Amino acid sequence: MQALNSKAIEVTDLTVAYQETPVLWDIDLDVPPGVLLAIVGPNGAGKTTLIKAILGLVRPAAGNVLIYNKPYVTQRRIVGYVPQRGSVDWDFPTNVLDVVMMGRYGALGWIKRPKKRDRELALHALEKVGMENYTTRQISQLSGGQQQRIFLARALVQDATIYLMDEPFQGVDATTERAIVSLLQELRENGKTVVVVHHDLQTVTDYFDWVTLLNIRRIASGPVEDTFTTENLRETYGGRIAFIKNR
């Protein structure tokens, strides 16, 4: 059980550079427990890099990341991750149920064999995302939206406390998008913290209750009603913005 007054994610003075070019610069970010947060910003803003830095997948030039006041390496079991669909090798010869079962390895370890209970949890997760009839289907035979649902099921079966998702709506149809949104909001209602890299500004106020505006630097972060403003959006996108809600 996490302390109620703990920050779910605390990023301090984070700088990440690729070949000496800063991708993220001096980022401070506090994510409270139980929010559904969108990270938004233009292409090249460092959104995916921020997610990967929180997960320890990229090495920062400076700064620190804590998950409930502890380093990620000691908290990895409570953090679920849904990567960009385009970063996955979908030709790998495995079926849907096997992919979802991979989400249980954090609890099992790599040596123990999955038990009946693990299989039941995987099947339940597939049912939650509407993919219970595809257990034996090879992942290469799935549509883009179906593939995204499978990776959500893999994260769900981990039963994490914090979920980090990189563009989960990218390339999915409207039906899948609605299903994903419903699932994310259900996770939040159950006290989970969900952080989503998101690109569609028109849906931020409908889908999320918290937002971080990013463009190499953190521009603003907080509740949507206070933070998702025309002024902050202009600063984030440098005036190059096709859609700004009247606020």
Side-chain angles (χ1 to χ4, degrees), residues 212-228:
T212 294
L213 297 165
L214 185 71
N215 191 350
I216 301 178
R217 298 175 181 269
R218 191 207 70 174
I219 307 301
S221 186
V224 167
E225 61 267 23
D226 301 326
T227 309
F228 195 66

Side-chain angles (χ1 to χ4, degrees), residues 40-246:
V40 301
N43 291 338
K47 302 183 294 294
T48 293
T49 300
L50 178 56
I51 291 284
K52 289 184 175 180
I54 292 170
L55 291 164
L57 298 175
V58 297
R59 181 175 300 212
N64 191 40
V65 176
L66 296 176
I67 306 293
Y68 283 109
N69 300 318
K70 297 179 182 178
Y72 169 76
V73 69
T74 67
Q75 298 280 60
R76 64 174 70 244
R77 284 181 60 177
I78 68 167
V79 181
Y81 173 45
V82 178
Q84 283 189 21
R85 190 169 55 84
S87 68
V88 176
D89 179 10
W90 294 105
D91 292 324
F92 188 79
T94 188
N95 67 32
V96 164
L97 184 60
D98 287 341
V99 170
V100 177
M101 289 287 284
M102 290 175 188
R104 297 298 302 156
Y105 291 152
L108 290 170
W110 290 98
I111 299 176
K112 293 182 181 177
R113 293 179 61 83
K115 298 180 180 178
K116 181 181 178 182
R117 174 62 177 160
D118 299 302
R119 180 183 172 87
E120 289 173 350
L121 289 170
L123 291 171
H124 180 64
L126 284 167
E127 185 177 352
K128 292 278 286 185
V129 300
M131 292 293 290
E132 65 272 23
N133 295 325
Y134 292 80
T135 55
T136 61
R137 185 77 61 88
Q138 291 291 306
I139 58 172
S140 61
Q141 298 172 349
L142 302 175
S143 70
Q146 290 170 334
Q147 290 172 345
Q148 195 66 281
R149 289 179 187 231
I150 294 309
F151 262 65
L152 282 167
R154 188 183 71 165
L156 286 177
V157 83
Q158 186 177 337
D159 192 24
T161 304
I162 297 171
Y163 290 91
L164 301 174
M165 304 188 182
D166 195 354
E167 298 272 17
F169 305 114
Q170 187 176 48
V172 303
D173 56 56
T175 300
T176 296
E177 180 160 332
R178 286 193 296 270
I180 293 173
V181 171
S182 178
L183 186 60
L184 301 189
Q185 293 174 343
E186 182 181 336
L187 288 170
R188 177 193 59 199
E189 289 164 8
N190 289 332
K192 310 294 188 180
T193 303
V194 186
V195 177
V196 177
V197 172
H198 190 59
H199 70 278
D200 183 5
L201 297 181
Q202 298 189 60
T203 57
V204 169
T205 56
D206 294 327
Y207 291 177
F208 301 93
D209 56 14
W210 206 271
V211 65
T212 294
L213 297 165
L214 185 71
N215 191 350
I216 301 178
R217 298 175 181 269
R218 191 207 70 174
I219 307 301
S221 186
V224 167
E225 61 267 23
D226 301 326
T227 309
F228 195 66
T229 64
T230 298
E231 181 181 355
N232 285 337
L233 286 164
R234 289 192 192 281
E235 185 175 355
T236 303
Y237 288 86
R240 302 182 305 277
I241 183 166
F243 174 87
I244 302 178
K245 280 196 172 184
N246 295 319

